[in-house]
Amino acid sequence: MFHLQSLELLHWDYCQRLTLPLDGSIITVAGPNGSGKTTLLDAMRTLLGLDCSGGRNYKTYARHANADSAWLRATVDNRPRNRQSSNRPFARCLLYSDVVTLVCRIDRNGGDWVRRYLMVEGDVSIEQLIERQDKDWLGIDNWRKRLEGAGLSRAIAKVLALEQGQTDRLCEYSPKELLKLVFDVFGDQDVLDRYDEARNHQRQLTQEVEAAERELSHGKAQRAELEIRVNSYRQYELKCQERETLATEVVPVLSSHETRRVLASKLRELHRQRLQSQEDRRQHAQVKAELLQRLQDQTDAATRVEELEAQVRTARRLQEEARDAERPVEALVKRADELQGLAVVEGDADKLTTRIAELSEHKQKLATQWQRLKDQRDDAQRAYDALKGQRQAPPPPEVARFTRTLTEAGIAHHLIADIIEISDEKWRAAAEGVLRGSRWVVVLAKPSHEAQAMALAEKERFRHYIVADAEDAPAQPDPDSLLAVLKFSAAAPRWLLRQLANIRRVASTEAGVKLGGEWITPEAYHRDNRGGRSVWVDPGQHQFGAAAIAGRRQSIEARLAQLDEEMTRLVRDQAFFDRQLQDARQAAKGFTAAAELAERAAEFHEAREQLPTLKQARVQAGERWQQAEALLKHAVVAQTNAQHAYKQAQERLAHLESRSAQHDRDWQIRFDDLMAQALMSREVKLQLPRRWREPARITEMQAKYGNVTQARLRAEAVDRELNEGQWETDPTVLEQLTLMNANVLRQEDELNQRKASNAAAAIAVDNARARYTDVLKVTVRRYRKNIIELGHLAGVEVNAELPHLDGDDIGLRQAELKVHFNFDGKGSIGLNDGEASGGQQVIKSLILLVGLMKDDESTGGFVFIDEPFAHLDVRNIQLVGHFLRSTRAQYVLTTPITHNVEVFEPADVTLVTAKKPKGARWAPPIGVLQRRPPAEVL
């Protein structure tokens, strides 16, 4: 690497123009803070294409001078650094003179600044360089490349750009970063370039393989998608073909075939009907003969009835005559018995008085009984009259009164008795018995009226329930429940509906016991969870439905008939006892029953003798009348049966005649219609192609579709699928799939070729890696030798662990260069373990830094170190100075003038800066102190 010999600044920051000698191993720039020491270092950095320190840049310094251009010029040593070698630092730039001039020109370009670079042989002034053409000037990138060729690598450039007070930054590198820096400085660039080229080539090929694989995967995905579309298109074609086949062939053929088969079946059925009509004509003759016989039987039965009616009239007349003959005789006998009973007591006044009293008392009892029965009959008659014109049994007075109260209060309601109709009279007794206690329950139309209604019920002392929680009866209750035989016209209490739904209807108590649970029989025997009991209600008390009125009427009519019979009997008994009472009273007045018995003894005797005969005659006449009545009844039944049989025969004959005529008309109509259909079907059949009508083809269609109905359904389904489904209808997908198959095959071939190239590149990378590893091992060993030698010069024991370099990229990326230092025999310390002092940190970094520049073949190089002695004591300053003198590198150091004078001891050239006076445009000139060589001092 080259050394700096001089530096010239023109319009740089506040320097007007000055030239500084740098021909020395150690150049110290001293001055107070803010006097321009870092400005001088930034000028060198800008000239070498490096970044300025502290976030500054060259534009800031050029702008301070307030000129159109600024110049930085340096002369450098281009002589070979090793006597055994003739290589010059700038030989690659075709510069072979011992001195090379490096120039940076910064020009104002509008509102911005632009820098350009130039290197020429010899010591060329700025005035001469101004005349150089623009094409000779270089940009920053080309400038850096040329300086790299002269030995100023990017790694050293980073070290040269260390900030103020950061001299120990190099020892803060990690082992891995230090190894990379060493190889960047010492490594064979060609080997590194070849390895990087091979690795980049393989990476590129790998990326190409991956891209080809992705492209192939994408192509296969597109091919799969096209295959799906092709399958969809083929299915679409098949369904279109099926729809066309169904519409043009299958449905017409199967329809024609089934139509002709149905017509043949109907013709056979018509023939059977024709044969059946002949059987009907035979039945017509038989029924006609039977009708004549039934007419004769009816005539004979009518004659028999007339004869028996005459016999009944005769027998009834004889029975009435015998009864008329018996009655006066029976009355005489009864009178004789009464007189005999009176004769017994008429001689005894006490007995007669007792007899009269008993008869009077008995007569009074009969009168009382008659009056009681009369009152009962009047009540029944009034109840019967009250039911006239009524469709429903009236409620009790207290219920009617309370419902009127609710109506007057504006409370809508209805009674249970008003909304239930019993649909099956067989179960009326059961329903009436179960509902008896709930018939006068009041159901409110609006639940909001509940409080008001209950207040009125409390006032009226209404004993029946007021219900607001009601609902409609279910539309389809359990058919075996009692609820099933009830019809509701309005809402009913929920508890009542549940009760009726839980009661099962059974035929008998035995069936109910077997069934278990809650049940009821038609005779109203009810069993619940408490046990069984009869809930039968007298029909006169039935309440629900219009049939309840009829039941009540029948019950009252039966009661009236019973009362009339009992009252008739009492009237007869009253007449009997009245006669006895009159006779007894007459006997008390002197009339004697014995005298009448004596006077009428012969009459009474004759009556007693005639009465058995007359009674026997009446009985016999009655028996003959009853026998005649029985025979007449049988005869009437026989006549009725004969009339009914004759009427049935007539109806059957008329039905046969009507059916035969209708059958003949229908048969002819159907025959004509079937023949017309057959002709039309034949024409349709002949219009179909012959191959469609072949039996084998029809059998195939039937095996696939069944019948014409299923074929039509299939056609509708196919049409619906085509209209509603997602189908591929573009026929070009077939060609697209063919092209895509060819494209996928091409991509597979390209992928195979790239894989083969990648495999070859992997071999080349392995070879380049092996070469790189060999160079890296040599480089590390050389650097290890350099820092150990530099450690001896500084009086520090330095040791470096050679990294383990494997033959793969992972091992190379993980390789580290661990360096240990031993100061004054106090033990080994690492790069940045926090155990070294400030001076030791500086020495560690300088050893590592100078080790990068130490080359057995080519010596030289320079380092910018901004304030390396900051925060160091006298002893550490001496150690650092001694180390700097012992190396062969060129150093440009900065230090404030407040430091110990020891900092100037190792310097060959000392540049002294001063602050710019206030109000002055340019800074004062920089003082130069140059140490004489030892021979000159002597």
Side-chain angles (χ1 to χ4, degrees):
M1 186 176 175
F2 56 88
H3 278 183
L4 299 174
Q5 291 185 339
S6 66
L7 176 66
E8 184 178 2
L9 306 179
L10 176 62
H11 298 160
W12 176 257
D13 198 52
Y14 296 107
C15 298
Q16 183 176 11
R17 184 169 186 172
L18 58 88
T19 302
L20 301 175
L22 299 178
D23 190 11
S25 297
I26 300 175
I27 297 93
T28 300
V29 181
N33 293 333
S35 61
K37 299 187 296 298
T38 304
T39 300
L40 187 59
L41 293 182
D42 285 342
M44 299 180 188
R45 291 189 179 104
T46 302
L47 181 61
L48 297 175
L50 306 178
D51 294 332
C52 297
S53 62
R56 308 174 189 177
N57 56 41
Y58 69 94
K59 299 178 182 180
T60 302
Y61 293 111
R63 189 165 50 249
H64 287 170
N66 196 20
D68 293 334
S69 63
W71 290 76
L72 301 175
R73 187 182 72 89
T75 58
V76 297
D77 185 8
N78 193 30
R79 292 173 297 178
R81 292 303 175 185
N82 194 324
R83 297 177 181 178
Q84 289 78 20
S85 175
S86 60
N87 290 335
R88 297 176 182 269
F90 291 94
R92 293 185 179 181
C93 301
L94 303 179
L95 301 176
Y96 299 101
S97 63
D98 291 341
V99 178
V100 172
T101 299
L102 305 181
V103 181
C104 175
R105 179 180 180 178
I106 303 173
D107 295 324
R108 188 192 300 271
N109 185 10
D112 200 0
W113 296 86
V114 178
R115 59 179 173 176
R116 292 177 296 171
Y117 293 90
L118 181 66
M119 60 175 60
V120 294
E121 290 184 335
D123 185 359
V124 181
S125 66
I126 294 176
E127 287 75 11
Q128 293 175 331
L129 294 174
I130 292 176
E131 305 298 330
R132 300 298 292 261
Q133 298 180 1
D134 291 341
K135 65 178 182 178
D136 296 334
W137 295 87
L138 302 176
I140 184 64
D141 293 333
N142 292 329
W143 181 252
R144 287 174 178 173
K145 289 180 181 179
R146 291 200 177 188
L147 292 182
E148 286 180 10
L152 184 62
S153 66
R154 282 173 290 183
I156 294 178
K158 289 193 298 184
V159 176
L160 293 177
L162 289 175
E163 296 289 341
Q164 182 178 3
Q166 299 294 318
T167 309
D168 58 348
R169 175 67 62 85
L170 197 60
C171 67
E172 295 180 1
Y173 278 27
S174 66
K176 187 182 296 186
E177 293 174 341
L178 180 60
L179 179 62
K180 184 177 184 301
L181 179 62
V182 169
F183 189 75
D184 288 343
V185 175
F186 285 129
D188 189 339
Q189 189 64 36
D190 293 337
V191 174
L192 179 61
D193 292 342
R194 284 194 297 271
Y195 172 59
D196 289 339
E197 182 181 358
R199 186 171 57 183
N200 292 334
H201 180 61
Q202 187 200 12
R203 186 180 298 112
Q204 182 179 1
L205 288 177
T206 302
Q207 293 175 355
E208 291 178 357
V209 169
E210 294 175 353
E213 289 178 346
R214 289 193 299 270
E215 186 178 356
L216 179 60
S217 299
H218 181 65
K220 289 182 177 180
Q222 288 182 327
R223 183 177 65 179
E225 182 180 355
L226 283 174
E227 289 176 349
I228 294 174
R229 292 177 61 190
V230 167
N231 291 333
S232 176
Y233 176 73
R234 288 173 177 170
Q235 291 178 3
Y236 174 76
E237 283 188 325
L238 291 175
K239 288 190 178 296
C240 289
Q241 293 175 1
E242 185 179 5
R243 179 174 64 179
E244 183 179 0
T245 302
L246 285 169
T248 59
E249 178 181 356
V250 176
V251 172
V253 171
L254 290 181
S255 178
S256 175
H257 177 73
E258 293 186 9
T259 299
R260 294 185 64 80
R261 181 173 56 81
V262 171
L263 287 175
S265 177
K266 289 181 178 180
L267 286 172
R268 289 192 295 269
E269 180 65 24
L270 198 62
H271 180 67
R272 285 194 297 270
Q273 291 178 1
R274 190 67 172 178
L275 296 177
Q276 186 178 0
S277 65
Q278 297 178 359
E279 182 66 24
D280 291 342
R281 283 191 286 273
R282 288 193 296 268
Q283 290 182 2
H284 179 270
Q286 294 177 359
V287 172
K288 195 171 184 180
E290 182 183 356
L291 180 63
L292 295 175
Q293 182 63 39
R294 297 302 180 192
L295 179 59
Q296 184 62 40
D297 292 342
Q298 181 181 0
T299 304
D300 295 342
T303 304
R304 177 62 177 167
V305 168
E306 291 177 359
E307 294 175 355
L308 290 176
E309 285 179 348
Q311 293 179 8
V312 169
R313 289 193 296 271
T314 303
R316 185 174 182 181
R317 179 175 56 76
L318 293 176
Q319 191 269 346
E320 291 177 353
E321 291 177 354
R323 180 61 180 168
D324 293 339
E326 181 189 8
R327 278 197 184 110
V329 175
E330 184 181 8
L332 288 175
V333 173
K334 193 173 184 179
R335 178 62 179 169
D337 293 336
E338 293 176 356
L339 292 174
Q340 285 180 354
L342 181 61
V344 174
V345 297
E346 66 182 355
D348 190 345
D350 295 332
K351 290 182 179 180
L352 182 60
T353 302
T354 303
R355 176 68 176 171
I356 292 173
E358 291 178 351
L359 290 175
S360 297
E361 182 180 359
H362 195 67
K363 180 180 178 182
Q364 186 63 33
K365 289 181 179 179
L366 291 177
T368 302
Q369 292 179 4
W370 187 87
Q371 186 61 40
R372 179 174 55 80
L373 292 175
K374 183 177 181 301
D375 293 338
Q376 293 180 1
R377 192 185 186 286
D378 291 341
D379 293 339
Q381 186 64 42
R382 283 193 296 270
Y384 185 80
D385 294 339
L387 295 177
K388 291 182 179 180
Q390 297 289 335
R391 299 186 60 187
Q392 191 172 11
E398 67 275 10
V399 177
R401 183 172 59 255
F402 184 69
T403 55
R404 285 196 302 271
T405 302
L406 292 178
T407 303
E408 292 172 358
I411 300 176
H413 66 282
H414 57 266
L415 299 173
I416 294 297
D418 298 338
I419 64 171
I420 296 180
E421 180 74 30
I422 301 174
S423 59
D424 191 347
E425 289 297 323
K426 176 182 177 181
W427 295 96
R428 174 169 289 278
E432 291 280 357
V434 172
L435 294 172
R436 180 180 177 84
S438 304
R439 61 174 70 174
W440 307 124
V441 171
V442 178
V443 181
L444 302 178
K446 297 181 179 179
S448 59
H449 291 160
E450 183 178 10
Q452 184 182 2
M454 288 186 175
L456 294 174
E458 181 184 22
K459 181 179 179 181
E460 295 289 338
R461 300 186 185 277
F462 188 66
R463 302 180 58 85
H464 301 281
Y465 286 107
I466 307 293
V467 179
D469 186 12
E471 64 182 14
D472 295 333
Q476 295 181 348
D478 186 350
D480 296 329
S481 66
L482 185 60
L483 184 61
V485 298
L486 302 178
K487 294 182 179 179
F488 291 79
S489 59
R494 293 182 181 177
W495 54 265
L496 180 61
L497 295 175
R498 289 195 297 269
Q499 177 188 2
L500 296 173
N502 292 333
I503 300 176
R504 316 291 293 181
R505 292 182 289 118
V506 297
S508 62
T509 56
E510 292 80 3
V513 172
K514 291 181 180 179
L515 177 64
E518 189 173 358
W519 47 265
I520 195 168
T521 66
E523 299 301 325
Y525 193 83
H526 179 216
R527 183 195 182 281
D528 56 13
N529 53 3
R530 296 171 293 182
R533 67 188 179 100
S534 177
V535 294
W536 187 84
V537 179
D538 184 84
Q541 301 297 322
H542 286 181
Q543 184 68 36
F544 297 94
I549 296 293
R552 284 199 175 193
R553 288 199 186 100
Q554 292 176 2
S555 177
I556 294 174
E557 288 174 353
R559 178 63 175 164
L560 289 172
Q562 180 184 359
L563 291 173
D564 288 342
E565 184 180 355
E566 291 181 1
M567 292 176 67
T568 302
R569 180 180 56 78
L570 286 176
V571 169
R572 288 197 303 267
D573 291 345
Q574 282 180 334
F576 174 71
F577 286 107
D578 188 52
R579 287 194 306 270
Q580 286 189 347
L581 181 59
Q582 291 178 2
D583 291 340
R585 288 176 178 174
Q586 289 179 359
K589 295 178 179 180
F591 173 75
T592 61
E596 187 175 355
L597 284 174
E599 292 178 358
R600 302 178 63 181
E603 183 181 357
F604 289 153
H605 177 72
E606 184 181 3
R608 289 184 186 280
E609 289 181 353
Q610 290 177 352
L611 182 59
T613 302
L614 293 174
K615 184 178 291 188
Q616 181 67 28
R618 178 184 59 78
V619 171
Q620 290 178 355
E623 290 178 353
R624 287 192 295 271
W625 178 42
Q626 290 179 356
Q627 291 175 358
E629 284 283 353
L631 292 175
L632 176 61
K633 183 176 181 180
H634 289 300
V636 171
V637 171
Q639 182 187 17
T640 302
N641 292 336
Q643 290 175 350
H644 182 66
Y646 177 73
K647 186 176 180 181
Q648 286 183 338
Q650 279 185 322
E651 292 176 352
R652 189 160 56 250
L653 180 62
H655 176 68
L656 286 175
E657 290 177 349
S658 174
R659 187 177 70 177
S660 178
Q662 184 65 32
H663 179 271
D664 292 340
R665 288 194 299 271
D666 292 345
W667 186 90
Q668 189 62 42
I669 292 173
R670 292 182 63 188
F671 179 78
D672 295 341
D673 183 55
L674 290 176
M675 291 306 296
Q677 293 182 19
L679 292 175
M680 185 181 298
S681 175
R682 180 175 178 81
E683 292 178 358
V684 172
K685 177 182 177 182
L686 294 176
Q687 290 176 359
L688 299 174
R690 181 179 296 275
R691 58 185 180 85
W692 290 0
R693 294 183 279 115
E694 293 178 356
R697 178 57 179 161
I698 294 176
T699 303
E700 181 182 353
M701 293 180 186
Q702 290 176 338
K704 185 174 182 180
Y705 296 104
N707 52 43
V708 66
T709 301
Q710 295 179 354
R712 288 194 180 100
L713 292 176
R714 177 58 184 168
E716 293 176 358
V718 171
D719 189 65
R720 186 166 53 254
E721 290 176 1
L722 289 174
N723 293 332
E724 299 178 359
Q726 299 293 332
W727 303 100
E728 180 60 52
T729 59
D730 185 6
T732 60
V733 294
L734 299 175
E735 297 179 0
Q736 294 178 18
L737 179 60
T738 302
L739 295 176
M740 183 54 67
N741 286 328
N743 187 32
V744 169
L745 292 176
R746 178 183 59 77
Q747 290 175 350
E748 289 178 347
D749 293 339
E750 291 180 356
L751 178 59
N752 293 332
Q753 294 176 3
R754 285 191 172 94
K755 286 183 177 180
S757 300
N758 191 29
I763 296 174
V765 168
D766 291 339
N767 296 333
R769 187 187 299 112
R771 176 60 180 159
Y772 171 73
T773 303
D774 293 339
V775 173
L776 183 60
K777 289 178 181 179
V778 173
T779 299
V780 172
R781 283 195 296 268
R782 186 174 68 178
Y783 183 71
R784 178 172 176 270
K785 175 176 174 295
N786 290 344
I787 61 178
I788 290 175
E789 291 177 353
L790 292 172
H792 286 306
L793 294 175
V796 180
E797 182 180 352
V798 181
N799 187 22
E801 298 180 10
L802 295 178
H804 179 68
L805 302 174
D806 294 327
D808 56 0
D809 291 337
I810 296 177
L812 293 176
R813 285 195 299 269
Q814 295 178 350
E816 298 178 344
L817 178 59
K818 296 180 180 180
V819 181
H820 302 279
F821 302 86
N822 189 345
F823 291 88
D824 303 328
K826 294 181 179 181
S828 177
I829 59 177
L831 287 175
N832 190 25
D833 51 10
E835 296 184 4
S837 64
Q840 291 173 349
Q841 286 287 92
V842 174
I843 292 176
K844 285 163 57 177
S845 295
L846 291 175
I847 290 173
L848 297 175
L849 178 62
V850 177
L852 295 174
M853 303 178 180
K854 190 174 186 299
D855 191 350
D856 294 337
E857 298 180 355
S858 176
T859 60
F862 53 88
V863 182
F864 301 151
I865 305 179
D866 202 352
E867 297 187 3
F869 305 109
H871 310 296
L872 297 183
D873 57 12
V874 175
R875 174 59 181 162
N876 285 322
I877 291 174
Q878 292 177 351
L879 291 175
V880 173
H882 175 71
F883 173 76
L884 294 177
R885 285 195 304 269
S886 62
T887 64
R888 290 183 293 174
Q890 183 181 29
Y891 299 94
V892 179
L893 310 178
T894 65
T895 181
I897 60 176
T898 59
H899 269 297
N900 192 289
V901 294
E902 295 291 333
V903 300
F904 302 104
E905 192 274 335
D908 296 324
V909 177
T910 301
L911 305 177
V912 182
T913 61
K915 291 185 177 181
K916 182 177 74 70
K918 186 176 181 180
R921 179 180 180 185
W922 305 109
I926 296 176
V928 179
L929 297 177
Q930 190 168 7
R931 190 183 300 272
R932 292 182 180 180
E936 296 181 5
V937 175
L938 294 176

